[in-house]
């Protein structure tokens, strides 16, 4: 990959760079690490927004409308995705590009489907690196979409500055099976599809979510997550969402929390990579012993603690030689 072309915003260099950081081949990994090190001084200047919500809530429609909105305001927008269930050739969140036709065509936008294969941690790490690459290529708004399944929300919250939860207008008084944990991660909640016949329901839902949120947000937190209504279809509320994103950044910067938040994310990434690689190496050198010990623990002939100790001892012994 030609670093100069990438920094100049060349799309082919950009696509190639992302393919490189997504590769699981060992020789590619080395090349990717070198590239990322070279790009590092040119990264970090975007606003990173995570977008989640249950299937059908309107994420793709929203992201297209919001992306175009940001572009009209002078920004360059990259859309990435974390979807641990995606497979190459189908099923990916952004796999069907026609679902964001106008954004796809726009030369101030870059859309990349979720990388596939491996663990959620692996997919998320590759996306985190893709964020750095698009930033180096000059994109200053990065939207990371995720499906509302598994732990992918936590992973995306950990690689973005602000986490936006899209909600359905609901009918009765039930809060639509939204997991409390996901609400706790959200910095901004938007009841989507606030248009046409849905308008009254959307407003009522926003009031309900707002009340529920008051119960879980510490009253002294510098940022109180707002609940708004919007429509990806008509564009209602997109301005307000952008204003909240800007205000969120200003407030966190004032409180000295903006950089600290990103630094905390970097440290968690570092340790999660250490964990992943250490475990990988441990399995490699202790495979037979590990299988035997698992068996013994299941049989009840060795305690879990003993087995763990033996595994680590065997690992350390092998590493020393
Ligand atoms: N009324 C209304 N309908 C919408 C809006 N946004 C999306 N829809 C409709 O809702 C359906 C799902 O929209 P998508 O944007 O594909 O939703 P999604 O959350 O990306 O769905 P998945 O990718 O399947 O999880 C489509 O039929 C859209 O036309 C909106 O703002 N208002
Ligand atoms: Mg979608």
């Amino acid at each position: 990959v030609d670093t100069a072309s990438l920094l100049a915003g060349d799309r082919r260099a950009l696509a190639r760079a992302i393919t490189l950081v997504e590769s699981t081949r060992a020789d590619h990994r080395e090349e990717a690490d070198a590239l990322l090190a070279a790009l590092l001084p040119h990264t970090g200047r975007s606003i990173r927004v995570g977008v989640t919500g249950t299937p059908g809530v309107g994420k793709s429609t929203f992201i297209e409308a919001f992306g175009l909105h940001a572009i009209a305001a002078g920004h360059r927008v990259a859309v990435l995705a974390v979807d641990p269930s995606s497979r190459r050739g189908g099923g990916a969140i952004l796999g069907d590009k026609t679902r964001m036709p106008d954004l796809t065509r726009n030369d101030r936008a870059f859309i990349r489907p979720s990388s596939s294969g491996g663990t959620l941690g692996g997919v998320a790490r590759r996306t985190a690196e893709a964020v750095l690459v698009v930033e180096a290529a000059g994109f200053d708004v990065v939207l990371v979409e995720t499906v509302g399944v598994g732990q992918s929300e936590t992973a995306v919250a950990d690689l973005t500055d602000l986490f936006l939860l899209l909600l359905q207008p609901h009918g009765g008084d039930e809060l639509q099976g939204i997991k409390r944990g996901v609400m706790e991660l959200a910095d901004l909640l938007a009841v989507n599809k606030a248009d046409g016949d849905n308008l009254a329901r959307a407003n009522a839902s926003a009031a309900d979510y707002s009340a529920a949120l008051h119960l879980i947000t510490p009253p002294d937190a510098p940022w109180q997550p707002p609940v708004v209504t919007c429509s990806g279809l008509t564009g209602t509320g997109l301005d307000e969402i952008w204003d909240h994103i800007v205000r969120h950044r200003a407030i966190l910067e004032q409180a000295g929390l903006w950089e600290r938040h990103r630094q905390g994310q970097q440290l968690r990434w570092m340790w999660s990579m250490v964990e992943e690689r250490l475990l990988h190496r441990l399995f490699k050198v202790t495979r037979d012993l590990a299988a035997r010990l698992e068996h013994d623990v299941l049989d009840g002939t060795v305690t879990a603690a003993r087995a763990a100790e033996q595994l680590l001892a065997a690992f350390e012994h092998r590493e020393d030689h």
Side-chain angles (χ1 to χ4, degrees), residues 54-61 99 192-193 195 198 231-233:
T54 50
V57 70
K59 294 179 295 296
S60 301
T61 310
R99 292 171 83 180
N192 194 27
K193 304 190 181 180
D195 48 45
N198 293 324
S231 165
L233 209 59

Side-chain angles (χ1 to χ4, degrees), residues 197-240:
D197 293 344
N198 293 324
L199 202 54
R201 277 197 307 141
N203 286 329
S205 302
D208 290 348
Y209 282 117
S210 191
L213 201 61
H214 271 300
L215 301 175
I216 60 179
T217 312
D220 58 342
W223 176 253
Q224 298 289 323
V227 183
V228 301
T229 58
C230 70
S231 165
L233 209 59
T234 65
T236 308
L238 300 187
D239 262 328
E240 196 187 354

